[in-house]
Each structure stands twice: as C-alpha cells, then as structure tokens.
C-alpha cells in the first residue's frame, strides 16, 4: 500500500481518518502522511523489519541474578538476536 507494510498502512490511514474526522482539522492529515513516508522508508530499507520485530518481541530478555544451567536453554534467544552478547 504505497510502499509501506500493508497492515501498518491500513492502521495509519484509519487512525489518520478518525483523527481528522473527530477533530475537524486537516492538521492530522499532515502527520499521517509523514508517518506513511516513514513507513515507506523503513520498508524500503528492510522489508522484513516488522516480521523480525514480532519474532523478537516473543523472546524477551530474562535477567537472572545468578546464572543457572537449568534455565539457560529454556530462555535462550533465537540465533541472530544478540544471544551471545553480554549486556
């Protein structure tokens, strides 16, 4: 939808239309167009960014005060999600 991710473009258009309709001000239209341009840019630089973020959000960081071998494999992040970096 105009170069942006379909679901996010529909959500952005719906939210922009509702804000313009309820406030009787076209100023939200400018904000909606700018958000859409940002979504187009984000999708053109990395087409999988939304899918990766959805997967990334399913595996949150678990901070244990003491390393424990019992939970190390259970809460290990998938490959490629900075699993081996010490924060």
């Amino acid at each position: 939808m105009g170069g942006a991710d379909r679901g996010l473009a529909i959500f952005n258009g719906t939210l922009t239309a509702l804000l313009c309709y309820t406030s009787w001000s076209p100023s939200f239209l400018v904000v909606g167009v700018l958000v859409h341009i940002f979504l187009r840019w984000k999708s053109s630089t990395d087409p999988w960014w939304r899918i990766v973020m959805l997967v990334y959000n399913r595996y949150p960081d678990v901070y244990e005060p003491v390393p424990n071998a019992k939970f190390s494999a259970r809460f290990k992040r998938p490959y490629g999600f900075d699993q081996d970096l010490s924060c």
Side-chain angles (χ1 to χ4, degrees):
M1 306 221 38
D5 183 61
R6 185 174 191 262
L8 292 176
I10 290 172
F11 177 73
N12 180 37
T14 305
L15 189 65
T16 301
L18 287 174
L19 287 173
C20 288
Y21 178 73
T22 57
S23 69
W24 291 81
S25 171
S27 60
F28 287 110
L29 187 62
V30 175
V31 174
V33 168
L34 290 176
V35 170
H36 189 76
I37 290 171
F38 172 75
L39 291 174
R40 282 185 62 186
W41 170 77
K42 192 75 171 158
S43 295
S44 68
T45 56
D46 185 15
W48 296 97
W49 69 275
R50 183 173 168 264
I51 308 296
V52 169
M53 291 306 292
L54 287 174
V55 172
Y56 185 81
N57 287 335
R58 289 187 185 193
Y59 296 98
D61 292 329
V62 176
Y63 298 102
E64 293 288 332
V66 179
N68 191 349
K70 185 172 96 174
F71 293 111
S72 64
R74 180 177 175 193
F75 294 118
K76 195 160 181 81
R77 301 185 91 167
Y79 178 77
F81 289 103
D82 297 330
Q83 64 180 351
D84 298 325
L85 295 177
S86 59
C87 295

